[in-house]
Structures are given as structure tokens and as C-alpha cells.
Amino acid sequence: MTNWTDICNVNDILPNSGRAALHEGEQVAIFRITRSGNDAFFAVANYDPCSGANVMSRGIVGNLGDKTVVASPVYKQHFCLDSGQCLEEDASLKTWPVRVDGDRVMLAS
């Protein structure tokens, strides 16, 4: 059984941007991607393994092919928001399942 942790209100994250949160002692970058009026939420580690800085929540989101990605604000590598895999380097970000319950964003423990 999955335990869910209440992180924030949906409106705390602007559309097509990210916010950092502390979840069970780890920095998590939570992204709200809005397409055609529908929101999708993703959670990846805030730690950029290529630069060694906690900056991923400040990355620019977009699409490369059929993948929704975030570009690291430091060296601009692209990380898939679904898998956390870097598209240019042999690196990846930890990911967490996300769900929305009412107006609350929740992460799996």
C-alpha cells in the first residue's frame, strides 16, 4: 500500500514551472505541466547530477520529440520528467509518483 504525503496546493505551482519541496529529507522538484487546459504533475530530484547543485526546480520545461523534459539551468542537459533519464549524458534523476487529491499535490512515500 502506497503512503501519500501532502506537499502543497495545486495553485502553489504556476503552470509550466517547478517548485522545490522537502520530502522525507530529500529535495524534490515538482513540475506542473499544462497542455490544452489539463495539468500533469511530475516529481524528480532537485539535485542536478551534472552540476552538483540543487537547481532542477528552476529548469525550463518543454518537449523534445514526444518527451516532456526539464533543462538544467546550469549546463542545459535535458531530463525526461517521466523517467528522470538525461537525454545527453549517462545520468538520471530520482522520480516519485505524484497524484492530485482535490486541490492538493501529493507524493508517494
Side-chain angles (χ1 to χ4, degrees), residues 13 18 25 37 42 51 55-57 70-71 75 77 84 87 94 96 103:
I13 307 172
F42 302 90
S51 69
V55 294
M56 295 309 297
S57 63
V70 58
Y75 296 127
Q77 288 93 348
L87 302 183
K94 181 178 178 179
W96 286 263
D103 63 352

Side-chain angles (χ1 to χ4, degrees), residues 4-82:
W4 294 92
T5 302
D6 185 355
I7 300 297
C8 64
N9 187 291
V10 167
N11 294 321
D12 290 336
I13 307 172
L14 295 174
N16 301 314
S17 69
R19 295 289 298 263
L22 190 61
H23 176 59
E24 298 181 341
E26 293 184 78
Q27 290 191 31
V28 179
I30 303 170
F31 293 91
R32 177 182 176 186
I33 306 300
T34 304
R35 302 280 190 264
S36 302
N38 297 315
D39 289 330
F41 288 84
F42 302 90
V44 298
N46 197 38
Y47 181 79
D48 176 0
C50 298
S51 69
N54 289 304
V55 294
M56 295 309 297
S57 63
R58 296 180 179 208
I60 297 172
V61 295
N63 288 349
L64 284 179
D66 61 347
K67 298 183 185 307
T68 303
V69 299
V70 58
S72 168
V74 179
Y75 296 127
K76 313 303 184 214
Q77 288 93 348
H78 297 93
F79 292 87
C80 177
L81 287 175
D82 279 323

